[in-house]
Amino acid sequence: MMSQMKEFQPVLQMIVCRLAQMIAREMDLSDKAALDSLYLSKLYEELEREETKVWNLSVPTLLRMFIEEQETGIIKFPQEG
């Protein structure tokens, strides 16, 4: 279990970095403000939990989910298949 977490952390960091850059661009925020907003979101809570597999979604999809959460307070997951 611990080795899985070690393998997952670099993946999570890469996704968070790319997602925060897109949030900053899309919402006209500084990089720090974008990261802070992401870290406080429900989406980030889901991303952090490897078993949710949210990290498998594309960064543009995660961006849409993040914006929707910011606007509505609700996180909606895309339908599979």
Side-chain angles (χ1 to χ4, degrees):
M1 179 74 178
M2 200 59 187
S3 68
Q4 279 184 315
M5 281 306 292
K6 283 184 181 171
E7 291 171 21
F8 176 63
Q9 282 305 315
V11 173
L12 179 63
Q13 289 172 353
M14 187 178 69
I15 292 167
V16 165
C17 180
R18 290 177 53 211
L19 182 54
Q21 288 172 340
M22 289 182 80
I23 291 167
R25 217 175 11 247
E26 186 75 23
M27 300 179 85
D28 197 26
L29 298 171
S30 70
D31 290 343
K32 182 180 181 335
L35 261 180
D36 289 346
S37 295
L38 178 57
Y39 285 143
L40 293 171
S41 70
K42 294 175 192 156
L43 179 62
Y44 182 75
E45 285 180 31
E46 296 298 320
L47 273 171
E48 235 182 353
R49 294 178 33 226
E50 182 184 9
E51 67 275 7
T52 66
K53 303 293 186 208
V54 173
W55 52 272
N56 270 330
L57 299 170
S58 71
V59 175
T61 297
L62 293 170
L63 176 65
R64 286 193 299 276
M65 291 170 66
F66 175 82
I67 291 171
E68 185 164 0
E69 178 189 339
Q70 296 302 299
E71 292 173 351
T72 67
I74 298 167
I75 186 170
K76 287 189 184 167
F77 296 93
Q79 297 299 314
E80 298 263 335

